[in-house]
């Protein structure tokens, strides 16, 4: 007999092929790690080679590569940035508020398991009814948690669509959750834009991130369908002072001036929502996620001289230092004269993105490089999947993007093909579900 477990997936009965009693619960990935450290899975232990393995096995301490799930804010925002990402937007297909809440509860339970490095569900990938689909797809068996973080957000269409309010959420849509305007040069594709819900999964191992999105999509089957998704490799920002600045696919360091997790005051000013009252109080502790799929014209860029490349960025390619001198983290001198004008061109990427050109606003960027093969004309379909978290997109994203779309010399090499804006609710405590503050 089939029932429902806490993740919403079918809970199998206790009969296996051959009529033998099934194990009560399948071993989790974490329990496999412990077993491996104790000598039970020597091959697996050798393959994993992870420092956390021995730590947990020998002392029972928490595995070092587990990102905490519960907290004031959701994980995957100020979390030190991982190197791999799978993000997916969903359209909700059910109509009832209770069904939506049930989906969020099921996702919450599954995400808590996933971030611990455990299988989804009570019986996992191999422990359930032999005649029923497993609760977990299994491709992450043997893999550690890999610093997996999962972040959930709500699109404007979750609250209302062309037919009117949805899920009894009339009056609850925050004013900052706007329809992003059409920016100059946008070439947005509907199939890569929007969505009622978004889930961002980041991890050190790409298979762990894909496993998370795949299982959450499977749990949502019949209640939410994937609208678009994107896999990213190679972070393009650092979100901790302990991380080096990475490079984008144009070969330049990206995100040198990004906000860092250690800058709590700046995060409170520019990222975390706070002080809301009334119908928007549910967003306190949350933030807004801006997503933009930005295709880079790689082949054109590769035929551009080094001098022009550095002039466009306003930084040196190797060191990442501003053209006005110093090192990567030296403040640019926008007044320093050069030949025929400032040595830092006024239309350089650095000049237009700098807080001094945007009323002092800053954002927390968590973008990734991506490649989706070629376009049939021999050109790479590759670029930047831009993700930024801001306290209010009306003040911290729209004005900057408008200015850069009009004036940034780099725009000639870019095309924005996807877009989304999502309200990310605050983190939760034990026993709560993601988004609970919205439905309370």
């Amino acid at each position: 007999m089939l029932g429902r477990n806490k993740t919403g997936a079918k809970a199998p009965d206790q009969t296996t092929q051959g009529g033998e009693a099934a194990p009560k619960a399948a071993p989790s990935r974490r329990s496999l790690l412990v077993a491996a450290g104790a000598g039970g899975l020597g091959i697996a232990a050798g393959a994993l080679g992870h420092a956390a393995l021995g730590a947990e096995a020998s002392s029972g301490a928490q595995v070092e590569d587990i990102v905490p799930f519960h907290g004031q804010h959701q994980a995957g925002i100020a979390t030190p940035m991982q190197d791999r990402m799978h993000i997916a937007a969903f359209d909700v297909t059910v109509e009832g508020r209770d069904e939506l809440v049930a989906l969020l509860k099921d996702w919450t339970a599954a995400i808590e398991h996933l971030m611990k490095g455990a299988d989804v569900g009570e019986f996992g990938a191999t422990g359930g009814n032999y005649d029923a689909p497993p609760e977990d797809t299994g491709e992450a068996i043997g893999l550690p948690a890999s610093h997996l973080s999962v972040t959930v957000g709500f699109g404007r269409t979750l609250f209302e669509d062309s037919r009117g309010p949805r899920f009894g959420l009339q009056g609850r849509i925050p004013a900052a959750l706007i329809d992003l305007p059409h920016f100059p040069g946008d070439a947005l594709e509907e199939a890569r834009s929007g969505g009622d819900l978004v889930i961002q999964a980041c991890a050190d191992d790409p298979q762990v991130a894909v496993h998370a999105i795949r299982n959450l999509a499977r749990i949502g089957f019949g209640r939410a369908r994937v609208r678009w998704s994107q896999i990213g490799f190679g972070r393009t920002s650092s979100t901790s002072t302990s991380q080096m600045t990475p490079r984008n696919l144009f070969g330049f360091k990206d995100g040198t001036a990004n906000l860092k997790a250690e800058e709590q005051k700046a995060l409170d000013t520019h990222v975390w929502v706070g002080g809301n009252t009334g119908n928007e109080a549910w967003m306190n502790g949350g933030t807004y996620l801006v997503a933009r799929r930005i295709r880079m014209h790689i082949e054109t860029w590769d035929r551009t001289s080094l001098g022009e490349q550095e002039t466009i960025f306003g930084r040196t390619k190797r060191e990442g230092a501003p053209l006005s001198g110093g090192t990567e983290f030296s403040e640019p001198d926008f007044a320093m004269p050069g030949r025929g004008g400032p040595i830092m061109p006024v239309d350089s990427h650095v000049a237009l993105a700098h807080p001094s050109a945007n009323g002092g606003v800053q954002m927390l960027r968590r973008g990734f490089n991506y490649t989706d093969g070629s376009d049939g004309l021999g050109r790479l379909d590759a670029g930047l999947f831009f993700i930024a978290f801001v306290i209010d997109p009306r003040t911290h994203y729209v004005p900057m993007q408008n200015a850069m779309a009009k004036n940034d010399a780099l725009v000639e090499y870019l095309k924005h093909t996807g877009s989304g804006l999502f309200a990310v609710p605050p983190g939760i405590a034990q026993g709560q579900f993601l988004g609970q503050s919205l439905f309370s």
Side-chain angles (χ1 to χ4, degrees), residues 383-407:
L384 166 68
F385 197 86
F386 173 93
I387 295 174
F389 293 94
V390 296
I391 190 171
D392 189 333
R394 296 171 297 180
T395 55
H396 282 60
Y397 178 73
V398 173
M400 181 186 300
Q401 179 56 29
N402 258 324
M404 298 186 75
K406 293 175 182 175
N407 304 313

Side-chain angles (χ1 to χ4, degrees), residues 340-423:
I343 197 168
M344 299 286 297
V346 295
D347 62 350
S348 65
H349 189 67
V350 169
L352 289 163
H354 196 270
S356 63
N358 296 282
V361 302
Q362 293 179 266
M363 58 178 66
L364 178 62
R365 294 177 50 183
R366 285 183 64 96
F368 291 84
N369 296 318
Y370 79 84
T371 57
D372 285 339
S374 59
D375 62 1
L377 298 174
R379 300 173 302 194
L380 283 176
D381 183 356
L384 166 68
F385 197 86
F386 173 93
I387 295 174
F389 293 94
V390 296
I391 190 171
D392 189 333
R394 296 171 297 180
T395 55
H396 282 60
Y397 178 73
V398 173
M400 181 186 300
Q401 179 56 29
N402 258 324
M404 298 186 75
K406 293 175 182 175
N407 304 313
D408 188 353
L410 190 60
V411 166
E412 179 182 349
Y413 301 88
L414 307 176
K415 182 168 74 171
H416 289 238
T417 60
S419 179
L421 175 64
F422 303 91

